[in-house]
Structure formats: C-alpha cells, structure tokens
Amino acid sequence: MKVAIHQPNYFPWLGYFAKMAQSDVFIFLDDAQLPQGRSYVHRTRIPADGGSVWMSAPVRRERLQAIGDVRFAEDGWRRRHRATLLHTYRHAPFFEPVMALVDTLFALETDNLSRFNMNAVSRLAGYLDLPCRCALASSFGVTSSSDDRLVDLVRAVEGAVYISGEGGQNYQHAEKFEAAGIELRVCSYKPRPYRQVQDGFVAGLSVLDALFNLGPDARHHLTYEPAREPQPSV
C-alpha cells in the first residue's frame, strides 16, 4: 500500500497529480495550519505574456487557522476566475470539455476552501483516470506533529510505502520511517514540455493548463524520475 500526503491545494500543478498517480491512498492534510502569506492552498499559476500570473481565491484569515476551517472571503472570485480561464484558454484544443468540467467544480455550493479544493482535486484525478483512494487527515485523530505525524497517518491506513517529494527531506528523518517499517520513497518530478497556448513552455502551471491543452492525455505527463534512496538525516 503506497501512501502520499499533501495539503489540499487550489488547482495544483502536475507534480501534485504525479504524486497521486504513484499512490494507492492519497491523504489530504486538511488539518494542517494555513500557511502564512501567499500559498498554493488558495492560488495557482496560469500563463500570461510569455510567463505566468497568479490566480488567487480570496480567503478570510484568522490566527492559527487549520486549512479545513478556512472560508472564502466572497463569492465573486468564481466568476472572475472563470472569465480569466475563458480568456486564456478559449482557443485551446480541449477547451470545451475541460471548461464544462471546471464549471461543475465552480458550481459546488460551499464557502469552505478545503472542501472546494478536495472536490476539485478528486474530480480532476478522476478525469485523469487515477485510481488512488482519497482520505482526510482530520478523520484519523492523529495528534503528533512534523514527520511523526506523517508516519502515524501512513500507519492509520496500513501503508507500507510513503511517497515523498524531494522537498520533504528538509524535515523528514528516514530512520523514523524505517523504525515504523515504512519504506520512504523520495521521488523527483521533472515537468515534460508540451504545447501551450503561448509560445515556449512555462513549467509549474496549474493542472488546468495541461488539461486545456492535452485533455486526458495529460496523464502521460505524470511520471516521476526514478526513485532514489533518501539522504540520511544529520
């Protein structure tokens, strides 16, 4: 049983879905604290003028706020984001079917950021034919922190392998996973260029960019570099 864990981000990049593609169970870290400042939890990047711009959903902020408790600040952002996507991708090869799907995501009646994001990610994973099962960290009652929490969440779903991106090595200790009988598999995602609506290729854009341009074939861009051994902690 391979497990990946990540915050519920807003229309995240392809690397997020590459992690899902490697997993049997994907756990949304909905009870993590909302990051201070700007965050991928409520914003994503789309192409503009040969580069990219941020598309952000306004949220109400409170001190020490869990992602699962965050509410949108107003409703107009859905209309604005739809108009931005229409302007950006109206000539993209898969505009009509993908925009129809996005419209169903925007139609979800909720003011909860996490609920919106988890529904969107799950639906888009389905569009990409990813077989992993999704779960919520908040449903397991795990109270530990940092990488101990990751170990406990993997245990909670009886996982044997934890799929981690390279950034996790900044705080993960391989020996903790080993002691728990869990294989720590560190993977590196390298974006593969595809034709976009502008000249050149900009990496790290929202998954929506790949879907508008590639349709279901975007799933062929969800491959990791060969897994490598995690570096021992110092």
Side-chain angles (χ1 to χ4, degrees), residues 97-190:
V98 173
M99 196 69 228
L101 173 57
V102 171
D103 280 339
T104 67
L105 304 180
F106 282 146
L108 180 69
E109 294 186 6
T110 182
D111 67 344
N112 183 282
L113 169 69
S114 180
R115 192 171 302 135
F116 179 92
N117 288 354
M118 291 187 293
N119 176 70
V121 167
S122 299
R123 292 283 303 279
L124 295 178
Y127 180 82
L128 291 167
D129 199 26
L130 305 185
C132 66
R133 173 172 62 89
C134 294
L136 275 64
S138 60
S139 68
F140 297 110
V142 170
T143 58
S144 49
S145 60
S146 190
D147 52 353
D148 291 318
R149 188 157 175 245
L150 301 178
V151 169
D152 290 341
L153 286 171
V154 175
R155 279 174 162 170
V157 295
E158 300 181 348
V161 178
Y162 175 59
I163 305 293
S164 170
E166 286 192 302
Q169 292 192 98
N170 297 327
Y171 60 88
Q172 289 168 177
H173 299 82
E175 62 272 16
K176 291 185 179 180
F177 290 87
E178 183 178 359
I182 298 169
E183 176 188 345
L184 175 59
R185 190 173 297 175
V186 179
C187 299
S188 174
Y189 180 74
K190 304 295 183 186

Side-chain angles (χ1 to χ4, degrees), residues 29-120:
L29 206 57
D30 62 321
D31 53 0
Q33 185 176 327
L34 178 69
Q36 296 298 308
R38 297 173 179 174
S39 164
Y40 285 104
V41 174
H42 61 92
R43 67 178 189 157
T44 193
R45 291 169 59 213
I46 59 172
D49 300 324
S52 66
V53 294
W54 291 103
M55 192 168 69
S56 303
V59 296
R60 299 174 185 169
R61 288 185 173 275
E62 297 178 9
R63 189 171 178 273
L64 301 179
Q65 187 177 25
I67 294 171
D69 296 330
V70 177
R71 299 287 191 261
F72 293 117
E74 41 94 355
D75 292 328
W77 66 271
R78 300 176 195 241
R79 183 184 66 257
R80 295 193 299 271
H81 286 198
R82 187 187 189 282
T84 298
L85 294 174
L86 174 62
H87 173 75
T88 303
Y89 294 109
R90 64 187 182 278
H91 298 305
F94 291 87
F95 172 75
E96 289 190 9
V98 173
M99 196 69 228
L101 173 57
V102 171
D103 280 339
T104 67
L105 304 180
F106 282 146
L108 180 69
E109 294 186 6
T110 182
D111 67 344
N112 183 282
L113 169 69
S114 180
R115 192 171 302 135
F116 179 92
N117 288 354
M118 291 187 293
N119 176 70

Side-chain angles (χ1 to χ4, degrees), residues 4 6 9-23 26 28 44 105 117-132 134 163 189 205-208 210-211 218-219 221-224:
H6 209 289
N9 287 354
Y10 180 68
F11 293 128
W13 74 312
L14 281 177
Y16 191 104
F17 290 87
K19 186 181 285 190
M20 296 185 80
Q22 294 288 316
S23 309
F26 186 86
F28 289 114
T44 193
L105 304 180
N117 288 354
M118 291 187 293
N119 176 70
V121 167
S122 299
R123 292 283 303 279
L124 295 178
Y127 180 82
L128 291 167
D129 199 26
L130 305 185
C132 66
C134 294
I163 305 293
Y189 180 74
L205 300 181
S206 167
V207 62
L208 296 180
L211 297 185
R219 62 176 167 267
H221 286 249
L222 302 181
T223 55
Y224 271 117

